Amino acid sequence: MSAIRLNGISIEDVPDLYNFKEFKGFSAYDIFSSGSLIGAVGQNAESLGIDLKTSDASDLPKYLSAALESGSERIRSAAESIASDFGRRLGLIFFAMKTASEKTRFANDRYEDEDWRPWTGVNKIFLSGGLANGKLGENLCRYANELIKELGVIDVNICTSRYPSHDQLIGCARANSDNASRAVVFDFGHSFVKSAVASYAKSSEGSHGVVRLDVDKKIPSRHMGRGYTDADAEYKEAVLLHEFIANVVASRFSRLSEDDKRLPPSRNIVISIANNVSDGSIGYGGCYYKLMLVSPKYEEYLSNFLSELLERDVTVKLIHDGQAAALSVAGEKNSVLVALGTAFGVGFPPESDEGLRPAENLIISG
């Protein structure tokens, strides 16, 4: 693990290539985010054959990915220009993290030498999240790999994970230690909330693994404000956020309970959340930080709250979204998973998958 928050890393050591000098002093988030990519697609919508009047902003990366396979050379060329630019931006960020030069460390001197070691020792970088899907994900990897090797780093390979859009849900499903045959899992992000029903079955080897993930339609996240000047307003928003989370979880759990009463769902509810979490306590580093105002031990608080709401004992486990996604590729040594969501989510896969459910032959529906 590393204490480094990738989004806030200042990129100072920039090579004189591809107009990178304009990024000197920028944060990693300023250089690459879903918002900046969506903005680039929007600015080039006409060249990409996209009608902004009938398109949601959140769908623009999908349209960019489709444009990379267009039958029109003009559209493909415009799409390739954007994908190559953002792929190289990723390569620049990963180069800075992998090499951790003296200039980079000085610009980010709030971190100690040991914080950089997980990054400097990385040989494989998995890209996850919606932006890593399809042709767009392929191109981001291609140009990031080309850039980092052009800069002399030859011992790192950048690739997409097997299920980029579902890694957090898969990680949560693998982390459920109950022996129930079904469980609900959740991914509370900054833009959307995803949920799924994980199904488990015994394999020929006797392990009780994840065999299926039925993914529900995602819903918009709510109460994602931050930087309040009024403490009372901040607390009220925190309570609303908590109630939103509890209602989403309780509603999905109840539906699954009623679906087939012969197969009661696991009373362990594993939740990925786009925020720092330590021993069940919410920290800073995301819009869910407000939950610490509801309770300093929010995991325990939510467990008790849901138990009363559902009228049965349930236990909640909260996992940082980057680490939840990393559990989907547990066993990969010297690796890091970077989720390309609203912001970067980072997780270091455990080198052993001991204690996690296997998920080799997973079927995903929805």
Side-chain angles (χ1 to χ4, degrees), residues 7 51 66 88 146 151 218 221 246 268 274 281 311 337 352 355:
N7 291 289
D51 183 357
R88 291 179 184 127
E146 287 181 2
L151 295 176
K218 63 186 180 183
S221 301
N268 291 344
S281 296
E311 297 182 340
L337 182 143
S352 168

Side-chain angles (χ1 to χ4, degrees), residues 173-180 200-201 208-210 353 355-360:
R174 297 193 69 186
N176 191 321
S177 58
D178 195 3
N179 284 325
Y200 303 88
H208 205 238
V210 191
D353 58 5
L356 298 172
R357 304 292 192 90
E360 288 85 7

Side-chain angles (χ1 to χ4, degrees), residues 4-10 26-30 32-33 110 285 339 342-346:
I4 292 176
R5 296 180 182 177
L6 182 57
N7 291 289
I9 285 293
S10 178
F26 281 34
S27 71
Y29 176 80
D30 291 333
F32 187 104
S33 67
R110 60 193 177 280
T342 305
F344 290 117
V346 176

Side-chain angles (χ1 to χ4, degrees), residues 247-318:
N247 288 332
V248 168
V249 174
S251 174
R252 190 64 191 91
F253 186 95
S254 297
R255 277 195 289 130
L256 183 59
S257 299
E258 292 299 318
D259 176 49
D260 187 343
K261 294 184 178 180
R262 297 169 301 172
L263 294 172
S266 169
R267 297 195 180 198
N268 291 344
I269 302 173
V270 186
I271 298 174
S272 161
I273 191 165
N275 206 97
N276 290 324
V277 183
S278 177
D279 295 326
S281 296
I282 294 289
Y284 290 101
C287 294
Y288 290 92
Y289 79 95
K290 299 186 292 293
L291 296 170
M292 69 172 71
L293 303 178
V294 176
S295 172
K297 292 288 185 182
Y298 185 68
E299 183 180 85
E300 180 181 344
Y301 182 87
L302 182 59
S303 297
N304 293 334
F305 190 92
L306 285 170
S307 294
E308 289 190 23
L309 193 62
L310 294 167
E311 297 182 340
R312 70 186 78 184
D313 289 334
V314 297
T315 301
V316 170
K317 181 177 180 62
L318 298 176

